[in-house]
C-alpha cells in the first residue's frame, strides 16, 4: 500500500488489534515559558491545557470483482494473483485519498484538511509559486518541527513540474535533482525531501497545492490489514463465476495542526 499516493511512506503507521474509538492527547506548549521569581515571592500558576484528537477506524472495500470459471481455468496467467494485486491497488488509492483530503466526518481527516495555513500566494500566482513564497512556507513551520527527521514537502507531480522550472537570479534551478556526478542522492527542494502525492490538488485558484512540515504527526491506524475474500456461493455459482472482494479497516488524522502547513494559490 505504500506505493500508492505517498501518505503511508511518510506518516506514522499504528496497528491496533481492535477498532474501538481511539483518541490521542494533545497539548500546545509553544507559548508557555518560565519566570524569574524574587526572594520569598510566590510562583505564578500556569497549568498546561490538554485536548484530544480522534484516530478512528473505517471500513474500506475494494468493490467486488466477478471472474468466470472459464477465465480462471483457461488463462495462462494466475488470475487470482492478478485480482489480488489489482484490489490492493484499489484500496491503496482509496485510503490515500481520504488520508490526504478526507473531511473527518464519517471518514478519516486528511492531512490537507487538518493542516493550517502557512502562506497564501501573491496576486497572480493562481497556477504558479514564486521562490519567496516557498521560503515563507518553510518558515511558517516552527523550527522545532523543521529539525525533526523526515520533515519535507508534499505535492502533486504537476506542481513539482512547475517548481522544477524555477530559477534564481543567476539562472540556477532551486530544485536539486537526485544526482551529483556519479553519486545518487534524494531529490530535494531547498534542502528538504519531496513526496509526490497525486491526491494533493494541482495548482489552481485557491488550491492548497503544497504541504510542508513533519508528516510523522499524521497517524495512520490499521485495524484490519487488506484481506482478500473468495466467494463461491450460489449467487456466483449459478452464473459460473467466482467473486473476489478485499476489505480493510483503517483511519487517519493529523494529531498536531502546527506541524504541517499548506501553501494556497492566489484566488486571482
Amino acid at each position: 500500500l505504500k506505493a500508492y499516493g505517498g501518505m503511508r511512506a511518510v506518516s506514522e503507521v499504528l496497528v491496533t488489534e481492535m477498532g474501538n474509538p481511539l483518541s490521542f492527547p494533545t497539548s500546545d506548549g509553544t507559548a508557555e515559558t518560565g519566570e524569574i521569581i524574587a526572594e520569598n515571592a510566590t510562583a505564578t500558576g500556569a497549568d498546561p491545557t490538554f485536548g484530544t484528537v480522534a484516530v478512528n477506524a473505517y471500513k474500506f472495500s475494494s468493490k467486488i470483482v466477478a471472474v468466470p470459471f472459464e477465465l480462471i481455468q483457461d488463462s495462462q496467467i494466475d488470475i487470482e494473483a492478478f485480482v489480488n494485486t489489482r484490489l490492493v491497488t484499489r484500496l491503496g488509492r482509496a485510503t490515500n485519498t481520504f488520508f490526504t483530503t478526507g473531511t473527518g466526518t464519517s471518514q478519516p481527516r486528511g492531512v490537507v484538511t487538518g493542516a493550517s495555513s502557512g502562506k497564501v500566494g501573491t496576486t497572480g500566482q493562481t497556477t504558479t509559486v514564486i521562490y519567496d513564497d516557498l521560503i515563507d512556507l518553510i518558515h511558517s513551520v516552527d523550527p522545532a518541527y523543521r529539525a525533526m527527521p523526515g520533515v519535507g514537502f508534499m505535492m502533486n507531480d504537476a506542481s513539482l513540474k512547475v517548481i522544477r522550472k524555477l530559477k534564481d537570479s543567476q539562472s540556477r534551478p532551486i530544485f536539486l535533482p537526485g544526482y551529483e556526478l556519479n553519486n545518487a542522492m534524494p531529490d530535494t527542494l531547498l534542502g528538504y525531501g519531496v513526496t509526490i502525492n497525486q491526491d494533493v490538488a494541482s495548482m489552481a485558484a485557491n488550491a492548497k497545492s503544497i504541504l510542508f512540515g513533519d508528516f510523522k504527526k499524521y497517524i495512520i491506524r490499521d485495524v484490519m490489514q487488506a484481506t482478500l475474500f473468495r466467494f463461491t456461493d450460489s449467487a456466483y455459482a449459478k452464473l459460473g463465476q467466482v467473486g473476489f472482494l478485499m476489505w480493510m479497516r483503517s483511519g487517519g488524522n493529523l494529531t498536531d495542526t502546527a506541524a504541517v502547513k499548506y501553501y494556497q494559490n492566489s484566488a486571482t
Side-chain angles (χ1 to χ4, degrees), residues 14 28 32 74 81 108 119 123-124 126-127 151 154 165-166 179 185 192 208 215-216 239 253 256 264 268:
L14 174 69
D28 184 359
E32 298 176 2
D74 301 341
K119 177 66 179 181
T123 300
T126 55
T127 58
V151 65
M154 179 179 288
K165 297 177 181 179
L166 290 180
Y179 59 84
M185 60 185 183
Y192 296 97
K208 298 174 182 177
F215 293 101
K216 290 296 183 184
L239 296 173
N253 205 340
D256 188 342
Q264 185 172 4
T268 57

Side-chain angles (χ1 to χ4, degrees), residues 8 15 31 50 67 73-74 76 82 93 102 113 115 125 130 133 140 149 153 190 195-196 202 242 256 260:
R8 282 185 174 271
V15 178
F50 292 91
V67 181
Q73 295 168 354
D74 301 341
Q76 295 182 2
F82 171 82
R93 287 175 175 160
T113 307
Q125 303 301 321
I130 61 174
D133 287 348
S140 70
F153 288 94
L190 301 174
T195 299
I196 296 300
S202 298
V242 175
D256 188 342
V260 179

Side-chain angles (χ1 to χ4, degrees), residues 3 49 98 158-159 170 185 196 199 217 223 240:
T49 58
F98 286 106
S159 299
Q170 303 300 314
M185 60 185 183
I196 296 300
D199 288 311
K217 298 300 182 184
V223 178

